Amino acid sequence: MAKVTNRKDYRPYPFEVEQCQLRFEIQARHVIVSSRLWFRQNPKYSGRYRPADCILDGTGLEILSIRLNDREQEEGQGYRYDGRKLELTGTAEMQNFYFCAKVRIDPYNNKSLEGMYRSGDILCTQNEATGFRNITFYPDRPDVMSRFTTEIIADQKQYPRLLSNGNLLEKKDLGDGRHSVRWEDPFPKPAYLYALVAGDLDLLSDHFITCSGREVTLHIYTDKGKTSQARFAMESLKKAMLWDEKLFGREYDLDLYMIVAVDSFNFGAMENKGLNIFNSSLVFATDETATDATYENIASVIAHEYFHNWTGNRITCRDWFQLTLKEGLTVYRDERFSEDHFGSEVCRIQQVSNLRNMQYPEDAGPNRHPIRPDSFIDINNFYTQTVYEKGAAVIRMMAFHLGSEGFRKGMDRYFERFDGQAVTCDDFVDAIQEGGGKDLSLLRRWYEQAGTPQLYADSKWDGTKFSLKLRQENPNAAAPSPHTEKTGTSASRESSRPIPPPLAFPIPLALYDHNGTKLHEETIMFSERETERHYTLNSQSKPVPSLLLDHISPVEVHYPYSDEELLLLISADQDSFNRYEAMQRYQQKLLLAMNPEQTTEPADNFVERLRSWLTAQCAAGGDAAMPPRYLAQLLQVPGVQILAAAQQPPQFQALHQVREAYCTKLAGHLEEDMLSCYHALAQTSYERSDLAIGKRSLRNTLLHYLSRLQHNRNNGGKYDELASQQYQTSDNMTDSYAALQALTHYSPGPHSQAAEGALAHFSRRWQGDFSVLCRWFALQAGTPKPQTLQKIQELENHPLFRQENPNMLRSLYSVLSRNLPIFHDKSGAAYQFLAQRILQIDRFNSMTAAGLAKAFVAYKQLDEEGQTAMAKALQLILQQDGISDRLYEITSKTLEQ
Ligand code: ZN
């Protein structure tokens, strides 16, 4: 039965581990792990609680020997082991003791990709959150920090590289074809940061001189022949190191920083001390294989894992409920890094758009939780958009509230006070407010409440005074709690929803007059005591408010804007985010008022506004005052996910149709301008400057608009030809991929010949490149056509599809679940299909299975027909015997929220 862990039940661990010495003997069929641990009573525990025997985590370990204080122990006497916990009898009374274990593990057949496992011919580890217990016996919790040393013995030919955390002490040839190494990590750390890698790897080497003049060796290890593809990752790493010194005064602390790229990985990357392990898709990039978006993604994840060295490793979490302590903060840091390197305008829009597309649905769904959850069955289900991205948004509010200098002082205080410790979110806020010199108690409730606050704004102008009324509501403030009974079919428990206490947040705003001149700007702060707020200002004319500048707080603003007001903000708003926001609002209004039978035209002045931007861009060859990349973002029409959030119940197919009809109309009105602009944006050779990236982005946006015309007009295949030509002549992945999408996504029936030809060419050309291949699968699973589900089933049997690889699995199944008109097909076929696949995957990789099960997040919002269909799929999962606890947690909450 699944066991629930509650945040309020936290207790320190009874013991401390002074030292942990590990020895790995890598043999042909298994690995022998010997450990030596020095325990002593933990003063944080022994003063307060009753003495308890030492209990260690250890999942499915084959015990070869257990020794206590140098004496061999027998099962049932010196210890008891139930396959999950090892209890050491009689240790409660010991001031200290010495524990040795020898276990046998089989990483070669470990398909869960937790603990030690094989990726190709590389042996590697993934221990966060709870993987270390699959390797050896240990108190596998983040507040037990210890010094680790590692000895690895392995065949020299098969495993010439033997890596672990810290510094390399010694390397020995054992003479019998084997060799050994010893590593020592001088910094105490929890077990989740432990890592080991063995393999025949190529090495890209570089170095970085830190601010105090120390030389740090930088190593990126890859599969044979791939190091040249890791150059961009290396450059990104150096930029991140420099940035963290400049912006946060953080210097790297070891002499060596290693990154290893592996193809089989459940997540993006892992910040193991001194030895990051990365999903290879976030390391490898060349102009031919990586899109501009991929490049930026790589830079931000490299930075993220590097920043963890201080926010996560030096200072870690006391318990897993505090996960946002390191993840929210580190995401905030990587966001700022990206803003500084790729432009804050475009980054901010992307961040908020991600938040809306991914985090808001989670925050309104069955697995919603505060950024610091209160209970879980499996913490691995809580590596969520909420803990990460909303967590970062909460820190963004703090930083805004304190100002950048104040926030920096707060961070300095945090590092100073808690370095080397495992702490809580409360500790963090305490330090930030002390150092920052401003009370933050008003923001603390954000750690307790789930749900996206809705801010309803309305205004009046009486000829002299402008008054604004703001009211907040949070209908999803309470999180459903996990179920422990594996029944899964009981009637749904309607949770009563008491009115939650209000949240404090800043609302920076500006007022514009009808000429678009800014009249006023200030920040209103909601306090944690008020759900309503009134604001008045003298004004001789009726102003247009631009609310929540830069989307500084993670709330949604509703204001009854007229079309004229939105058009004014579209041309005049000086806040680049809100200008985009006005575009979004204007189009969202239009789209939500349409239905597939009745589509309306966008207003002339709106179309003319767009035309003038395009004309300017065209005249300037893409170098107009408004950066092309920003214009490309302005031209993004709100996606189906965002439109659906404003509709009850959401009609995904209808929204998709309406949206396509709208884009087609827009393209029809602007065809000539779009086409000439498309040509004007052509570049003779590939470069990666901001301007070049911006031009590609705008040009591909236009290509996609134009491609929609292909199928609505008798234009002789003109735009298919344009896309084909782009595909054939492109020298970079950004343009080829965009062309491939344009060719495949918009025709109503089966693919055109040109599309089929390009798809086939692409897979032939990239059959040897794992990440690019994943994108080829993803492109087809993401095609919004009725044939897609069938296509996915064909692709599952494609010779290049790897059935056990998480990237591959996600490239079909996660992508399907985000392909909303297809996933929510009325027949329920896609639900059923996904449920079956989830069950299959759960048998060997429950982490990936549980992640995929989050696809059913919209269950309660669906119409009756949809709910019935989805319930069937959910029940199919729940009725299966022996599903993993983590899959159970997600699925049962979804069905019975
Ligand atoms: Zn992280």
Side-chain angles (χ1 to χ4, degrees):
M1 196 188 324
K3 192 171 151 288
V4 176
T5 307
N6 293 301
R7 181 165 63 87
K8 61 171 172 31
D9 295 339
Y10 173 82
R11 275 193 184 193
Y13 189 66
F15 300 90
E16 292 175 331
V17 183
E18 277 172 81
Q19 250 219 69
C20 171
Q21 296 183 355
L22 299 174
R23 181 171 187 270
F24 294 84
E25 243 179 277
I26 300 177
Q27 304 178 345
R29 290 204 166 159
H30 46 244
V31 172
I32 308 287
V33 188
S34 313
S35 62
R36 303 200 282 173
L37 307 177
W38 283 263
F39 284 94
R40 63 168 174 233
Q41 295 280 342
N42 178 3
K44 281 196 189 136
Y45 182 94
S46 45
R48 263 185 281 167
Y49 307 97
R50 270 202 304 152
D53 274 343
C54 181
I55 297 177
L56 303 176
D57 299 295
T59 302
L61 300 173
E62 185 192 341
I63 296 176
L64 302 179
S65 114
I66 299 285
R67 297 171 73 85
L68 213 60
N69 294 327
D70 268 333
R71 268 204 301 278
E72 190 73 32
Q73 303 295 314
E74 292 297 318
E75 160 96 71
Q77 297 190 338
Y79 69 89
R80 278 199 302 270
Y81 182 48
D82 65 2
R84 299 184 142 261
K85 303 272 179 194
L86 182 80
E87 208 176 318
L88 301 174
T89 13
T91 47
E93 313 305 330
M94 298 181 188
Q95 268 318 303
N96 43 55
F97 62 92
Y98 169 52
F99 167 87
C100 301
K102 196 172 193 184
V103 302
R104 179 163 29 212
I105 56 174
D106 178 5
Y108 302 106
N109 291 299
N110 176 3
K111 297 176 183 171
S112 71
L113 315 189
E114 292 172 69
M116 187 180 291
Y117 66 94
R118 196 168 60 87
S119 170
D121 292 325
I122 308 171
L123 277 186
C124 64
T125 54
Q126 170 55 35
N127 292 331
E128 186 178 5
T130 48
F132 195 72
R133 62 190 63 185
N134 301 309
I135 295 176
T136 190
F137 291 110
Y138 201 77
D140 190 6
R141 42 187 285 171
D143 58 347
V144 177
M145 298 171 85
S146 183
R147 282 192 181 79
F148 285 77
T149 61
T150 301
E151 186 183 354
I152 314 173
I153 299 157
D155 183 84
Q156 182 134 27
K157 272 225 183 65
Q158 215 178 344
Y159 299 109
R161 311 270 190 195
L162 301 173
L163 315 174
S164 189
N165 317 86
N167 304 313
L168 180 63
L169 294 184
E170 181 185 57
K171 232 179 147 150
K172 267 201 309 225
D173 187 345
L174 299 181
D176 53 358
R178 297 184 310 160
H179 64 153
S180 76
V181 295
R182 282 201 305 123
W183 291 85
E184 175 187 62
D185 182 357
F187 294 95
K189 63 169 176 290
Y192 82 88
L193 290 172
Y194 183 83
L196 181 150
V197 174
D200 188 3
L201 302 162
D202 270 356
L203 169 62
L204 177 67
S205 181
D206 206 330
H207 70 274
F208 177 81
I209 310 285
T210 70
C211 50
S212 73
R214 282 190 310 109
E215 178 169 328
V216 179
T217 303
L218 309 177
H219 282 170
I220 301 185
Y221 289 96
T222 70
D223 271 333
K224 287 279 172 197
K226 300 272 280 187
T227 52
S228 62
Q229 297 198 36
R231 293 228 171 85
F232 177 79
M234 183 65 90
E235 290 313 308
S236 304
L237 174 60
K238 289 190 278 183
K239 286 190 176 133
M241 295 178 87
L242 186 65
W243 187 89
D244 212 16
E245 290 183 348
K246 287 218 169 102
L247 272 287
F248 286 97
R250 295 299 109 198
E251 184 181 354
Y252 185 62
D253 50 11
L254 289 163
D255 300 329
L256 175 62
Y257 191 88
M258 295 177 281
I259 292 175
V260 182
V262 299
D263 284 351
S264 296
F265 202 70
N266 275 335
F267 324 103
M270 181 62 213
E271 70 265 23
N272 316 303
K273 183 79 188 189
L275 178 55
N276 288 184
I277 298 179
F278 268 64
N279 192 316
S280 62
S281 68
L282 288 165
V283 174
F284 297 135
T286 65
D287 301 344
E288 288 190 305
T289 59
T291 62
D292 292 331
T294 303
Y295 271 115
E296 289 179 12
N297 216 357
I298 290 174
S300 97
V301 179
I302 292 269
H304 179 97
E305 307 309 333
Y306 174 73
F307 297 157
H308 265 318
N309 191 53
W310 277 96
T311 52
N313 301 2
R314 295 284 293 242
I315 307 181
T316 191
C317 303
R318 186 194 71 173
D319 56 77
W320 287 121
F321 293 103
Q322 319 295 328
L323 184 57
T324 200
L325 172 85
K326 74 176 178 81
E327 294 302 348
L329 179 55
T330 304
V331 170
Y332 174 71
R333 278 151 51 71
D334 84 54
E335 286 180 356
R336 299 312 298 245
F337 171 81
S338 292
E339 288 162 33
D340 285 352
H341 289 84
F342 307 118
S344 58
E345 279 185 0
V346 292
C347 284
R348 198 59 201 131
I349 291 173
Q350 269 165 18
Q351 290 157 12
V352 179
S353 159
N354 281 344
L355 199 69
R356 284 187 174 141
N357 278 299
M358 318 280 286
Q359 198 276 326
Y360 286 7
E362 178 173 277
D363 228 347
N367 194 38
R368 66 180 178 274
H369 49 274
I371 60 171
R372 181 187 58 197
D374 289 314
S375 60
F376 55 70
I377 290 177
D378 187 343
I379 183 58
N380 291 294
N381 285 331
F382 289 79
Y383 285 71
T384 56
Q385 293 283 322
T386 300
V387 165
Y388 277 62
E389 272 71 24
K390 188 181 181 183
V394 169
I395 291 178
R396 188 175 288 267
M397 276 192 291
M398 290 181 193
F400 177 83
H401 188 56
L402 296 175
S404 53
E405 216 173 291
F407 184 68
R408 169 67 197 268
K409 284 190 184 141
M411 287 294 289
D412 289 348
R413 180 69 58 96
Y414 174 63
F415 292 126
E416 203 176 285
R417 177 170 322 155
F418 295 119
D419 188 12
Q421 299 181 43
V423 305
T424 64
C425 298
D426 284 326
D427 291 331
F428 171 75
V429 181
D430 287 348
I432 296 294
Q433 77 173 16
E434 261 189 52
K438 225 169 165 179
D439 185 19
L440 288 178
S441 54
L442 75 178
L443 288 173
R444 285 186 198 248
R445 202 171 278 151
W446 282 93
Y447 285 90
E448 292 159 19
Q449 230 181 72
T452 308
Q454 306 295 310
L455 183 67
Y456 295 95
D458 209 344
S459 71
K460 263 210 318 262
W461 178 69
D462 66 3
T464 53
K465 272 200 317 286
F466 174 74
S467 47
L468 189 65
K469 197 170 85 187
L470 302 162
R471 180 173 53 83
Q472 58 165 299
E473 261 177 37
N474 186 3
N476 293 313
S481 47
H483 305 238
T484 44
E485 296 283 311
K486 284 199 176 179
T487 55
T489 45
S490 66
S492 104
R493 309 180 307 177
E494 267 311 315
S495 47
S496 58
R497 288 183 177 172
I499 294 176
L503 289 164
F505 54 91
I507 311 164
L509 56 84
L511 301 177
Y512 290 87
D513 73 7
H514 60 276
N515 295 318
T517 309
K518 201 198 275 179
L519 299 171
H520 183 74
E521 183 168 336
E522 79 173 276
T523 296
I524 305 180
M525 189 81 190
F526 244 110
S527 94
E528 77 285 15
R529 269 173 260 106
E530 53 195 2
T531 45
E532 262 193 42
R533 180 96 211 229
H534 297 259
Y535 162 88
T536 338
L537 197 87
N538 291 330
S539 179
Q540 297 312 314
S541 61
K542 185 177 188 229
V544 181
S546 171
L547 300 164
L548 196 66
L549 304 179
D550 206 30
H551 202 271
I552 204 71
S553 307
V555 305
E556 268 312 270
V557 179
H558 307 268
Y559 181 85
Y561 284 112
S562 69
D563 288 350
E564 292 66 39
E565 288 175 317
L566 288 172
L567 286 168
L568 181 105
L569 294 176
I570 286 171
S571 15
D573 204 320
Q574 291 168 28
D575 184 77
S576 58
F577 180 81
N578 268 4
R579 193 171 189 188
Y580 157 86
E581 187 79 327
M583 279 290 287
Q584 294 284 303
R585 285 178 194 278
Y586 179 88
Q587 301 183 92
Q588 170 154 341
K589 239 176 105 180
L590 198 70
L591 287 162
L592 288 172
M594 302 202 306
N595 64 56
E597 284 74 49
Q598 241 188 344
T599 57
T600 39
E601 299 291 330
D604 284 348
N605 43 1
F606 176 73
V607 174
E608 290 319 311
R609 168 53 55 203
L610 269 49
R611 195 190 310 281
S612 70
W613 290 334
L614 291 172
T615 321
Q617 215 59 255
C618 192
D623 202 4
M626 179 188 286
R629 178 131 185 224
Y630 181 65
L631 176 53
Q633 282 174 316
L634 290 186
L635 295 180
Q636 296 307 325
V637 176
V640 173
Q641 177 70 57
I642 288 182
L643 298 170
Q647 200 180 53
Q648 279 170 341
Q651 301 297 331
F652 297 101
Q653 285 83 13
L655 287 172
H656 173 69
Q657 283 173 32
V658 157
R659 184 175 182 273
E660 286 309 303
Y662 168 78
C663 292
T664 310
K665 277 182 204 284
L666 212 53
H669 288 295
L670 296 166
E671 183 173 2
E672 291 311 311
D673 308 85
M674 286 183 163
L675 190 59
S676 22
C677 198
Y678 173 86
H679 289 303
L681 289 162
Q683 300 179 60
T684 44
S685 64
Y686 181 84
E687 40 162 329
R688 296 209 59 262
S689 65
D690 287 350
L691 184 61
I693 292 170
K695 286 186 186 179
R696 278 193 289 278
S697 168
L698 180 56
R699 190 164 185 260
N700 288 323
T701 303
L702 299 176
L703 178 66
H704 277 241
Y705 272 108
L706 291 167
S707 292
R708 287 161 161 121
L709 291 176
Q710 168 81 12
H711 311 286
N712 289 272
R713 281 223 195 134
N714 193 2
N715 58 17
K718 186 168 163 191
Y719 295 113
D720 246 16
E721 217 162 87
L722 192 67
S724 288
Q725 204 177 10
Q726 174 168 325
Y727 179 78
Q728 281 157 16
T729 55
S730 148
D731 60 352
N732 65 85
M733 184 52 79
T734 307
D735 288 337
S736 356
Y737 199 75
L740 200 54
Q741 272 178 321
L743 280 169
T744 50
H745 277 21
Y746 304 111
S747 67
H751 291 327
S752 66
Q753 261 189 0
E756 290 291 5
L759 276 173
H761 172 267
F762 192 94
S763 66
R764 264 197 319 276
R765 165 140 195 227
W766 298 114
Q767 55 186 314
D769 192 300
F770 169 64
S771 302
V772 179
L773 266 183
C774 288
R775 307 209 52 191
W776 180 76
F777 285 105
L779 182 136
Q780 297 176 80
T783 303
K785 286 191 187 187
Q787 300 86 338
T788 292
L789 186 56
Q790 166 100 48
K791 185 77 207 174
I792 291 175
Q793 281 159 299
E794 287 167 29
L795 289 171
E796 287 178 317
N797 297 313
H798 194 284
L800 294 170
F801 188 71
R802 285 157 57 176
Q803 312 252 3
E804 288 172 354
N805 180 280
N807 295 22
M808 285 270 174
L809 295 170
R810 281 192 293 264
S811 73
L812 289 187
Y813 309 128
S814 303
V815 173
L816 167 66
S817 73
R818 287 195 304 268
N819 188 348
L820 300 176
I822 305 308
F823 183 56
H824 294 288
D825 178 78
K826 292 284 176 209
S827 69
Y831 302 157
Q832 205 65 20
F833 170 76
L834 186 63
Q836 285 162 358
R837 293 302 176 269
I838 288 172
L839 282 173
Q840 288 165 3
I841 296 165
D842 190 51
R843 290 193 205 115
F844 63 89
N845 185 336
S846 56
M847 196 82 82
T848 298
L852 290 172
K854 292 177 179 173
F856 298 111
V857 58
Y859 175 52
K860 268 292 151 77
Q861 275 110 51
L862 302 180
D863 58 18
E864 215 182 296
E865 197 189 349
Q867 286 201 18
T868 310
M870 200 180 268
K872 261 201 211 145
L874 292 164
Q875 269 152 3
L876 182 75
I877 296 177
L878 284 179
Q879 280 160 4
Q880 177 73 46
D881 284 337
I883 61 167
S884 65
D885 283 356
R886 48 179 71 128
L887 177 57
Y888 170 76
E889 178 171 38
I890 299 293
T891 314
S892 64
K893 270 190 189 169
T894 307
L895 194 59
E896 302 172 38
Q897 54 194 297

